[in-house]
PDB file of all heavy atoms in Angstrom:
ATOM      1  N   LYS Z  27     115.689  91.228 118.055  1.00 98.00           N
ATOM      2  CA  LYS Z  27     116.284  90.581 119.353  1.00 98.00           C
ATOM      3  C   LYS Z  27     116.446  91.713 120.389  1.00 98.00           C
ATOM      4  O   LYS Z  27     116.060  91.274 121.521  1.00 98.00           O
ATOM      5  CB  LYS Z  27     117.750  89.850 118.934  1.00 98.00           C
ATOM      6  CG  LYS Z  27     117.708  88.707 118.267  1.00 98.00           C
ATOM      7  CD  LYS Z  27     119.091  88.245 118.076  1.00 98.00           C
ATOM      8  CE  LYS Z  27     119.051  86.867 117.161  1.00 98.00           C
ATOM      9  NZ  LYS Z  27     120.423  86.403 116.970  1.00 98.00           N
ATOM     10  N   GLU Z  28     116.901  92.856 119.919  1.00 97.00           N
ATOM     11  CA  GLU Z  28     116.956  93.891 121.033  1.00 97.00           C
ATOM     12  C   GLU Z  28     115.620  94.344 121.550  1.00 97.00           C
ATOM     13  O   GLU Z  28     115.488  94.531 122.656  1.00 97.00           O
ATOM     14  CB  GLU Z  28     117.439  95.179 120.132  1.00 97.00           C
ATOM     15  CG  GLU Z  28     117.719  96.367 121.171  1.00 97.00           C
ATOM     16  CD  GLU Z  28     118.206  97.608 120.523  1.00 97.00           C
ATOM     17  OE1 GLU Z  28     118.564  97.601 119.297  1.00 97.00           O
ATOM     18  OE2 GLU Z  28     118.401  98.692 121.344  1.00 97.00           O
ATOM     19  N   LEU Z  29     114.576  94.291 120.621  1.00 98.00           N
ATOM     20  CA  LEU Z  29     113.223  94.658 121.280  1.00 98.00           C
ATOM     21  C   LEU Z  29     112.775  93.445 122.116  1.00 98.00           C
ATOM     22  O   LEU Z  29     112.121  93.878 123.165  1.00 98.00           O
ATOM     23  CB  LEU Z  29     112.250  94.527 120.002  1.00 98.00           C
ATOM     24  CG  LEU Z  29     110.733  94.923 120.397  1.00 98.00           C
ATOM     25  CD1 LEU Z  29     110.708  96.245 121.037  1.00 98.00           C
ATOM     26  CD2 LEU Z  29     109.823  94.869 119.202  1.00 98.00           C
ATOM     27  N   PHE Z  30     113.184  92.258 121.909  1.00 98.00           N
ATOM     28  CA  PHE Z  30     112.793  91.125 122.848  1.00 98.00           C
ATOM     29  C   PHE Z  30     113.426  91.343 124.210  1.00 98.00           C
ATOM     30  O   PHE Z  30     112.840  91.305 125.126  1.00 98.00           O
ATOM     31  CB  PHE Z  30     113.190  89.808 122.191  1.00 98.00           C
ATOM     32  CG  PHE Z  30     112.923  88.647 123.286  1.00 98.00           C
ATOM     33  CD1 PHE Z  30     111.630  88.083 123.397  1.00 98.00           C
ATOM     34  CD2 PHE Z  30     114.011  88.204 123.956  1.00 98.00           C
ATOM     35  CE1 PHE Z  30     111.568  87.090 124.325  1.00 98.00           C
ATOM     36  CE2 PHE Z  30     113.871  87.161 124.804  1.00 98.00           C
ATOM     37  CZ  PHE Z  30     112.641  86.574 125.066  1.00 98.00           C
ATOM     38  N   ASN Z  31     114.662  91.732 124.078  1.00 97.00           N
ATOM     39  CA  ASN Z  31     115.462  92.018 125.382  1.00 97.00           C
ATOM     40  C   ASN Z  31     114.996  93.186 126.104  1.00 97.00           C
ATOM     41  O   ASN Z  31     114.837  93.135 127.409  1.00 97.00           O
ATOM     42  CB  ASN Z  31     116.878  92.100 125.065  1.00 97.00           C
ATOM     43  CG  ASN Z  31     117.584  90.819 124.708  1.00 97.00           C
ATOM     44  OD1 ASN Z  31     117.141  89.852 125.062  1.00 97.00           O
ATOM     45  ND2 ASN Z  31     118.552  90.929 123.889  1.00 97.00           N
ATOM     46  N   LEU Z  32     114.502  94.248 125.393  1.00 97.00           N
ATOM     47  CA  LEU Z  32     113.957  95.315 126.107  1.00 97.00           C
ATOM     48  C   LEU Z  32     112.512  95.125 126.805  1.00 97.00           C
ATOM     49  O   LEU Z  32     112.309  95.479 127.819  1.00 97.00           O
ATOM     50  CB  LEU Z  32     113.747  96.605 125.087  1.00 97.00           C
ATOM     51  CG  LEU Z  32     115.015  97.224 124.585  1.00 97.00           C
ATOM     52  CD1 LEU Z  32     114.757  98.159 123.414  1.00 97.00           C
ATOM     53  CD2 LEU Z  32     115.670  98.004 125.716  1.00 97.00           C
ATOM     54  N   ARG Z  33     111.815  94.325 126.024  1.00 97.00           N
ATOM     55  CA  ARG Z  33     110.571  93.821 126.666  1.00 97.00           C
ATOM     56  C   ARG Z  33     110.699  93.005 127.907  1.00 97.00           C
ATOM     57  O   ARG Z  33     109.943  93.200 128.916  1.00 97.00           O
ATOM     58  CB  ARG Z  33     109.610  93.218 125.616  1.00 97.00           C
ATOM     59  CG  ARG Z  33     109.087  94.004 124.528  1.00 97.00           C
ATOM     60  CD  ARG Z  33     108.209  93.187 123.677  1.00 97.00           C
ATOM     61  NE  ARG Z  33     107.544  94.118 122.585  1.00 97.00           N
ATOM     62  CZ  ARG Z  33     107.014  93.648 121.622  1.00 97.00           C
ATOM     63  NH1 ARG Z  33     107.211  92.425 121.270  1.00 97.00           N
ATOM     64  NH2 ARG Z  33     106.413  94.459 120.687  1.00 97.00           N
ATOM     65  N   PHE Z  34     111.740  92.296 127.804  1.00 96.00           N
ATOM     66  CA  PHE Z  34     112.009  91.337 128.945  1.00 96.00           C
ATOM     67  C   PHE Z  34     112.538  92.196 130.161  1.00 96.00           C
ATOM     68  O   PHE Z  34     112.074  92.034 131.338  1.00 96.00           O
ATOM     69  CB  PHE Z  34     113.132  90.369 128.504  1.00 96.00           C
ATOM     70  CG  PHE Z  34     113.415  89.273 129.554  1.00 96.00           C
ATOM     71  CD1 PHE Z  34     112.429  88.142 129.793  1.00 96.00           C
ATOM     72  CD2 PHE Z  34     114.500  89.321 130.472  1.00 96.00           C
ATOM     73  CE1 PHE Z  34     112.668  87.273 130.710  1.00 96.00           C
ATOM     74  CE2 PHE Z  34     114.736  88.414 131.478  1.00 96.00           C
ATOM     75  CZ  PHE Z  34     113.748  87.377 131.581  1.00 96.00           C
ATOM     76  N   GLN Z  35     113.302  93.073 129.897  1.00 97.00           N
ATOM     77  CA  GLN Z  35     113.884  93.945 130.963  1.00 97.00           C
ATOM     78  C   GLN Z  35     112.692  94.907 131.502  1.00 97.00           C
ATOM     79  O   GLN Z  35     112.590  94.996 132.641  1.00 97.00           O
ATOM     80  CB  GLN Z  35     114.859  94.904 130.439  1.00 97.00           C
ATOM     81  CG  GLN Z  35     116.187  94.345 130.117  1.00 97.00           C
ATOM     82  CD  GLN Z  35     117.155  95.213 129.482  1.00 97.00           C
ATOM     83  OE1 GLN Z  35     117.005  96.401 129.241  1.00 97.00           O
ATOM     84  NE2 GLN Z  35     118.463  94.769 129.218  1.00 97.00           N
ATOM     85  N   ASN Z  36     111.801  95.339 130.688  1.00 96.00           N
ATOM     86  CA  ASN Z  36     110.706  96.074 131.177  1.00 96.00           C
ATOM     87  C   ASN Z  36     109.701  95.240 132.026  1.00 96.00           C
ATOM     88  O   ASN Z  36     109.217  95.720 132.955  1.00 96.00           O
ATOM     89  CB  ASN Z  36     109.933  96.579 129.875  1.00 96.00           C
ATOM     90  CG  ASN Z  36     108.865  97.651 130.295  1.00 96.00           C
ATOM     91  OD1 ASN Z  36     108.998  98.375 131.237  1.00 96.00           O
ATOM     92  ND2 ASN Z  36     107.720  97.701 129.491  1.00 96.00           N
ATOM     93  N   ALA Z  37     109.639  93.983 131.609  1.00 96.00           N
ATOM     94  CA  ALA Z  37     108.615  93.069 132.453  1.00 96.00           C
ATOM     95  C   ALA Z  37     109.257  92.855 133.804  1.00 96.00           C
ATOM     96  O   ALA Z  37     108.604  92.618 134.725  1.00 96.00           O
ATOM     97  CB  ALA Z  37     108.445  91.700 131.681  1.00 96.00           C
ATOM     98  N   LEU Z  41     114.334  97.976 133.228  1.00 94.00           N
ATOM     99  CA  LEU Z  41     114.563  98.988 132.010  1.00 94.00           C
ATOM    100  C   LEU Z  41     114.433 100.458 132.556  1.00 94.00           C
ATOM    101  O   LEU Z  41     113.436 100.833 133.161  1.00 94.00           O
ATOM    102  CB  LEU Z  41     113.572  98.703 130.976  1.00 94.00           C
ATOM    103  CG  LEU Z  41     113.638  99.479 129.710  1.00 94.00           C
ATOM    104  CD1 LEU Z  41     115.007  99.215 129.095  1.00 94.00           C
ATOM    105  CD2 LEU Z  41     112.471  99.196 128.685  1.00 94.00           C
ATOM    106  N   ASN Z  43     115.114 103.385 130.518  1.00 94.00           N
ATOM    107  CA  ASN Z  43     114.659 104.208 129.379  1.00 94.00           C
ATOM    108  C   ASN Z  43     113.540 103.356 128.632  1.00 94.00           C
ATOM    109  O   ASN Z  43     113.902 102.772 127.602  1.00 94.00           O
ATOM    110  CB  ASN Z  43     115.824 104.547 128.414  1.00 94.00           C
ATOM    111  CG  ASN Z  43     115.435 105.507 127.400  1.00 94.00           C
ATOM    112  OD1 ASN Z  43     114.238 106.034 127.348  1.00 94.00           O
ATOM    113  ND2 ASN Z  43     116.296 105.790 126.508  1.00 94.00           N
ATOM    114  N   ARG Z  46     112.962 103.706 124.753  1.00 96.00           N
ATOM    115  CA  ARG Z  46     113.937 102.990 123.723  1.00 96.00           C
ATOM    116  C   ARG Z  46     112.969 101.881 123.014  1.00 96.00           C
ATOM    117  O   ARG Z  46     113.283 101.470 121.866  1.00 96.00           O
ATOM    118  CB  ARG Z  46     115.076 102.273 124.509  1.00 96.00           C
ATOM    119  CG  ARG Z  46     115.939 101.508 123.625  1.00 96.00           C
ATOM    120  CD  ARG Z  46     116.741 102.455 122.879  1.00 96.00           C
ATOM    121  NE  ARG Z  46     117.680 101.626 121.886  1.00 96.00           N
ATOM    122  CZ  ARG Z  46     117.810 101.818 120.691  1.00 96.00           C
ATOM    123  NH1 ARG Z  46     117.268 102.818 119.953  1.00 96.00           N
ATOM    124  NH2 ARG Z  46     118.616 101.041 119.897  1.00 96.00           N
ATOM    125  N   ILE Z  47     112.015 101.283 123.660  1.00 97.00           N
ATOM    126  CA  ILE Z  47     111.150 100.279 123.097  1.00 97.00           C
ATOM    127  C   ILE Z  47     110.405 100.923 121.922  1.00 97.00           C
ATOM    128  O   ILE Z  47     110.431 100.373 120.801  1.00 97.00           O
ATOM    129  CB  ILE Z  47     110.069  99.745 124.097  1.00 97.00           C
ATOM    130  CG1 ILE Z  47     110.834  98.984 125.107  1.00 97.00           C
ATOM    131  CG2 ILE Z  47     108.976  98.974 123.215  1.00 97.00           C
ATOM    132  CD1 ILE Z  47     109.902  98.558 126.339  1.00 97.00           C
ATOM    133  N   LYS Z  48     109.972 102.133 122.013  1.00 97.00           N
ATOM    134  CA  LYS Z  48     109.183 102.738 120.919  1.00 97.00           C
ATOM    135  C   LYS Z  48     110.189 103.061 119.727  1.00 97.00           C
ATOM    136  O   LYS Z  48     109.744 102.871 118.591  1.00 97.00           O
ATOM    137  CB  LYS Z  48     108.608 104.040 121.403  1.00 97.00           C
ATOM    138  CG  LYS Z  48     107.739 104.732 120.385  1.00 97.00           C
ATOM    139  CD  LYS Z  48     107.211 106.069 121.103  1.00 97.00           C
ATOM    140  CE  LYS Z  48     106.138 106.598 120.101  1.00 97.00           C
ATOM    141  NZ  LYS Z  48     105.507 107.905 120.792  1.00 97.00           N
ATOM    142  N   VAL Z  50     112.980 101.267 118.856  1.00 97.00           N
ATOM    143  CA  VAL Z  50     113.297 100.150 118.244  1.00 97.00           C
ATOM    144  C   VAL Z  50     112.119  99.661 117.363  1.00 97.00           C
ATOM    145  O   VAL Z  50     112.308  99.163 116.268  1.00 97.00           O
ATOM    146  CB  VAL Z  50     113.734  99.088 119.236  1.00 97.00           C
ATOM    147  CG1 VAL Z  50     113.940  97.747 118.599  1.00 97.00           C
ATOM    148  CG2 VAL Z  50     114.968  99.511 120.034  1.00 97.00           C
TER     149      VAL Z  50
END
Side-chain angles (χ1 to χ4, degrees):
K27 285 181 183 178
E28 182 182 359
L29 181 61
F30 174 78
N31 290 331
L32 289 171
R33 285 181 176 162
F34 188 77
Q35 288 176 0
N36 193 30
L41 186 62
N43 185 9
R46 183 72 182 130
I47 293 174
K48 189 175 185 179
V50 172

